[in-house]
Amino acid sequence: MAVLDTLDTLAPIREKILAGERLDFDDGVALMETDDLLALGDLADLARRQRGGGDEVFFVQNINLYQTNVCRVKCKFCAFAKTRKQEDAFTLTADEFVEDAVRQHELLGFTEIHTVNGENPHVDLEYYAGLLRKLKEALPDVHLKFYTASEIHHMSRLEGCSHEEVLRTLRDSGLDSMPGGGAEIFADRVRALIAPGKEHPDEWFDVHDIAHRLGITTQCTMLYGHVETYEERVDHMLRLRDQQDRTSGFLSFIPLAFHPENTVFERRGFRFTTGADDLKVIAVARLLLDNIPHVKAYWIMMGLPLAQVALHFGADDVQGTVVREKIFQAAGASAGTEQKVAELVRFVRDAGRIPVQRDSLYNEIRRW
Ligand code: V47
């Protein structure tokens, strides 16, 4: 009987995938609700291949660096943000940041810097633009993937100007692309519970919309595993898909599993997500987001062993070497903060896939 139930739920979706048809909201919820994890993974891998995916799994040689952890927003899921007076608050000068970046580049030879910060109310737009200019001058060949849409919105408030003016200023100062954070869950109900001080999702979309129209590619994310329902996850993904239909500027989708340590939710008894849920989100994302080229299994978040399994659930990217990640470490991540290229290669190969080192725009640098 259980087998028949499974077939009934997934069979029509499989037919749609084979026919190249787009899945809808109800399909998304049905996929989220299935307990047949292996069939779900199989379907996601089928969809990935149907849309032109091969055996390549991508990674980038990158480093995470942070300008400031001072933040005006009190998101309840966050263990990274501090107020200016807290002991471990920091706000680096451009010189401090650039000096460190150059030293690390000599040691590691990364091709990308990934920077996400708190929404610091004590600095201005020039704090960000000036740093980008100095950094680009010092490391002209390094791709600068800087600032979430939430930070861009915050800068526009600080400066009293539009999203477009901020983005033009940053782009002209050296910004190359943007990370996907700040999306959390778009549903008003959830946002009010986990991030009441954060901008409305319309602002997040407006920033990405303008960035894409200005030729700045971006990523997109979803923070799951807290108070959201399956329906709210599907709604979130479909809003991203609609945006991508309009502007095509998202390069990848990264599901972010909620880490509760040192957050308000830890005190309320919230736990880490399970491996089954992590794999489910990866697979459903690959199935629904038919117009976003890459889905990342971010090893920092799910650990290398599970990320390896996720490569058979629709993911085709493991993010990168990552060195010095802080946001997930603050909230209890245990997978470490750095992988060597050789280790990423070994783990992709062991999953039966072809490791490809990419640049930030998915051009191939080297394959093994
Ligand atoms: O918006 C914060 C998430 C985001 C927690 O573009 C948490 O490649 C889980 O932008 N548990 C910021 N998630 C980080 C970000 C990012 C991360 C990885 C890859 C990319 C990319 C971008 O981190 C926030 C929030 O959604 N976050 N705290 C937490 N405790």
Side-chain angles (χ1 to χ4, degrees), residues 77-78 114 116 145 148 179-182 184 198 219 221 223 254 256-259 263 296 298 319 327-328 331:
F77 56 78
C78 183
H114 164 114
V116 169
K145 178 172 147 230
T148 64
E184 322 317 357
K198 204 148 204 158
Q219 327 302 315
T221 60
L223 172 65
I254 310 115
L256 301 174
F258 176 50
H259 284 46
T263 74
K296 286 182 188 168
Y298 188 20
Q319 181 83 331
I327 295 176
F328 295 90

